[in-house]
Structure formats: structure tokens, C-alpha cells
């Protein structure tokens, strides 16, 4: 059976990151809160890199430039 996509608040994500930072193992957090390991890894990485869970805040310089160029290209096509 396929999992339905769930959304999590920034507060919940921060709470999960704090649990990890305070010594709780990733596997325990994933099991206890029914999360995917990749989601938890992403939240931890994003928080360590920028302190934010917003996608835009966690883009690399190359990704930001690519978005800008795609937008510019779309405008030129119009």
C-alpha cells in the first residue's frame, strides 16, 4: 500500500532536529514518529546549513542561478 504524502510544520521539523542533536538516534526518531529516513536527513541537513526548512533558503548558488535563468528564458519566450 502506498504512503500518502504528509506535510509537517517547521516547528515539528525543528523538534525532530533537536531530538537528534540531543542524542536520540535517527532510527529511533524515524520509528517513533513514523518518518522516512530521507526526510529526517534532509531536515537535519537543511537546519545545519541555513537554519531554515524553506526550499528557497536551502538552494545552492547553482540552483538559484538555474532558477533565475529559467525564469528569464520563460520571459524571453513570451
Amino acid at each position: 500500500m502506498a504512503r500518502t504524502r504528509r506535510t509537517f510544520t517547521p516547528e515539528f521539523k525543528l523538534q525532530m532536529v533537536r531530538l537528534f542533536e540531543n542524542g536520540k538516534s535517527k532510527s529511533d526518531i524515524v520509528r517513533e514518529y513514523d518518518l522516512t529516513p530521507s526526510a529526517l536527513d534532509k531536515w537535519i541537513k537543511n537546519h545545519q546549513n541555513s537554519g531554515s526548512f524553506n526550499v528557497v533558503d536551502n538552494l545552492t548558488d547553482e540552483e538559484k542561478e538555474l532558477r533565475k535563468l529559467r525564469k528569464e528564458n520563460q520571459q524571453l519566450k513570451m
Side-chain angles (χ1 to χ4, degrees), residues 32-47:
E32 188 174 332
Y33 293 94
D34 191 29
L35 303 171
T36 61
S38 60
L40 180 58
D41 288 340
K42 182 179 171 185
W43 298 344
I44 292 168
K45 178 184 166 207
N46 288 347
H47 187 264

Side-chain angles (χ1 to χ4, degrees), residues 9-40:
T9 65
E11 293 80 14
F12 178 81
K13 293 176 184 180
L14 182 59
Q15 184 180 12
M16 296 302 107
V17 170
R18 294 282 187 240
L19 285 173
F20 172 73
E21 290 175 343
N22 289 325
K24 192 162 193 163
S25 73
K26 287 182 184 179
S27 59
D28 286 345
I29 296 169
V30 166
R31 185 175 36 257
E32 188 174 332
Y33 293 94
D34 191 29
L35 303 171
T36 61
S38 60
L40 180 58

Side-chain angles (χ1 to χ4, degrees), residues 31-77:
R31 185 175 36 257
E32 188 174 332
Y33 293 94
D34 191 29
L35 303 171
T36 61
S38 60
L40 180 58
D41 288 340
K42 182 179 171 185
W43 298 344
I44 292 168
K45 178 184 166 207
N46 288 347
H47 187 264
Q48 289 173 343
N49 288 341
S50 69
S52 172
F53 299 109
N54 291 330
V55 173
V56 176
D57 295 338
N58 288 294
L59 294 176
T60 64
D61 290 337
E62 291 84 13
E63 291 169 327
K64 288 176 186 175
E65 183 177 1
L66 182 59
R67 277 189 170 197
K68 178 183 166 224
L69 291 172
R70 283 182 176 161
K71 185 176 181 179
E72 187 178 310
N73 191 29
Q74 190 66 27
Q75 290 172 341
L76 291 171
K77 284 182 181 180

